[in-house]
Amino acid sequence: MKQYLLSVHFVEGAPTPSDEETQTMFRETGRINDDMQAAGAWVFGGGLTSPDSATVVRVDNGTATMSDGPFAETKEHIAGFWVIKCADLDAALAWAERCAAACGPVEVRPFDDLSQA
């Protein structure tokens, strides 16, 4: 079975969901997590803190430097993700559709062949 990354995108400047909408998103995401686990598709998943909590580590000529903030200056950031295993891209897209309905845009990317071992 191939593994896929399903990443949830947060769009900076988008309206903030109400408390009720947030609770609905959490509830629906929990159901999807349960269904993924029951189907044997779940590998790992989690939500991330805001991009301003990020630290970028770079190594240049053997010397590490660290900077606060996200790696890229962008309006979209990864808010959370799942790693799933399924038979093919169509199956991964079916999971992504459920995920997107629960919590917003989801990008689907297969892991490369070297990562499948």
Side-chain angles (χ1 to χ4, degrees), residues 13-94:
T16 303
S18 68
D19 288 343
E20 183 178 323
E21 291 169 323
T22 299
Q23 290 307 311
T24 298
M25 288 174 20
F26 287 156
R27 211 172 21 258
E28 291 303 312
T29 300
R31 285 188 188 117
I32 292 167
N33 291 341
D34 292 344
D35 291 348
M36 283 180 176
Q37 290 170 355
W42 172 275
V43 175
F44 184 80
L48 301 172
T49 58
S50 66
D52 61 350
S53 68
T55 302
V56 178
V57 180
R58 292 180 173 82
V59 176
D60 187 25
N61 293 322
T63 302
T65 58
M66 298 177 198
S67 57
D68 292 337
F71 176 75
E73 295 292 327
T74 181
K75 297 265 185 214
E76 289 189 5
H77 302 280
I78 297 175
F81 64 94
W82 288 270
V83 176
I84 62 170
K85 59 183 175 186
C86 41
D88 55 30
L89 179 60
D90 289 337
L93 293 173

